[in-house]
Amino acid sequence: MQNWFPENVSTFGGDVDAMFYLIYYITAVWFVLTEGLILYFLFRYRHRPGQRAAYVQGDNLKQLAWIFVPVAIVIVLDFWIDIRGAEVWAKIKGEVPPSDIVVRATGKQFNWEFVYPGPDGKFGTPDDLQLDNDLHVPVGKVVRVVLTAKDVIHSFFLPHFRLKQDVVPGREIIAWFEATKPGNYEIPCAELCGFGHSGMNGMLYVHTPEEYEKWLTERWSSEK
Ligand SMILES: [Cu+2]
């Protein structure tokens, strides 16, 4: 199953993947168990000449157990998934860790606008830098993304980071991630947002600390 996912390069990606595996294995075992039982009963109680079928109303406790025991097992398995899922949710969505970098990301038909606050660390000042579809971050740092949309609902998706967050006009939603490996990773829009939706695809450049410093220096010395 490992190969079904894109490579995980975020600090919390492993926790999200663990949830996928948990649900996958629980449903796989349950599927084999129930389908196996159906096949067994089909064979065991198949038609034989001269044998009459039993008339079962299912109204006594012994027969009702066939419903209630599986229901109880399913509820226990559900709670298992819920409890594990709540831990992962709290880690990713509950508390945003102190951030090293803050970027504003705005979804619009049909691209991502990324705004950096610049050396003064404040948005809305002349040293802000806006890039279309390109997001540059260093590896091993907590990046806080302030998400909003200009027109319709979009969805900020970092498949390699197991991060997906709806982006809603009129709201500012905080997301965060920390990259574990330098490289280039896609930022598709994961919410059908119009005829150009499929082409709405940004690129996340995860740099080594030295590369990132170099990028910062080049950006703010040449353009400002
Ligand atoms: Cu979109």
Side-chain angles (χ1 to χ4, degrees):
M1 195 184 178
Q2 202 85 38
N3 301 333
W4 299 0
F5 293 147
E7 186 187 6
N8 165 41
V9 295
S10 96
T11 47
F12 55 66
D15 296 303
V16 177
D17 290 356
M19 286 309 301
F20 274 100
Y21 295 135
L22 180 66
I23 295 167
Y24 173 76
Y25 288 122
I26 285 176
T27 48
V29 167
W30 199 246
F31 176 79
V32 171
L33 204 69
T34 50
E35 297 305 308
L37 213 54
I38 287 173
L39 290 175
Y40 170 73
F41 284 162
L42 273 176
F43 178 77
R44 174 82 175 74
Y45 298 104
R46 68 190 183 280
H47 172 73
R48 288 190 185 103
Q51 196 172 22
R52 282 177 61 86
Y55 180 59
V56 180
Q57 278 184 304
D59 54 3
N60 67 41
L61 264 184
K62 213 176 152 195
Q63 291 158 354
L64 282 174
W66 280 98
I67 296 169
F68 287 120
V69 170
V71 165
I73 297 174
V74 166
I75 288 174
V76 168
L77 293 174
D78 268 354
F79 272 110
W80 186 12
I81 294 170
D82 289 345
I83 291 165
R84 283 295 317 281
E87 289 168 10
V88 178
W89 180 266
K91 185 173 175 180
I92 301 170
K93 299 281 186 183
E95 210 174 293
V96 181
S99 327
D100 302 294
I101 289 151
V102 182
V103 184
R104 293 184 65 92
T106 304
K108 72 176 215 301
Q109 290 170 321
F110 294 96
N111 63 331
W112 297 106
E113 287 176 3
F114 296 109
V115 176
Y116 288 78
D120 68 355
K122 292 194 187 84
F123 289 103
T125 52
D127 72 343
D128 287 8
L129 172 70
Q130 184 185 314
L131 296 177
D132 281 348
N133 287 328
D134 287 352
L135 179 58
H136 295 261
V137 303
V139 72
K141 296 280 182 194
V142 175
V143 179
R144 183 190 293 239
V145 191
V146 183
L147 293 160
T148 188
K150 272 192 179 159
D151 35 39
V152 298
I153 298 175
H154 301 272
S155 178
F156 184 75
F157 188 23
L158 296 178
H160 295 84
F161 293 73
R162 313 300 192 251
L163 174 67
K164 189 189 271 173
Q165 173 61 57
D166 266 13
V167 176
V168 184
R171 282 188 64 185
E172 282 193 350
I173 300 171
I174 307 288
W176 71 277
F177 63 89
E178 181 181 339
T180 56
K181 191 182 162 190
N184 301 346
Y185 308 101
E186 280 187 323
I187 316 174
C189 176
E191 182 74 61
L192 186 59
C193 58
F195 68 91
H197 164 69
S198 61
M200 185 168 169
N201 197 8
M203 188 59 85
L204 170 62
Y205 301 90
V206 177
H207 300 287
T208 61
E210 304 78 47
E211 270 173 18
Y212 184 69
E213 279 306 316
K214 201 171 144 235
W215 178 80
L216 281 183
T217 327
E218 277 169 14
R219 275 291 161 182
W220 270 275
S221 56
S222 62
E223 303 222 346
K224 300 284 155 188

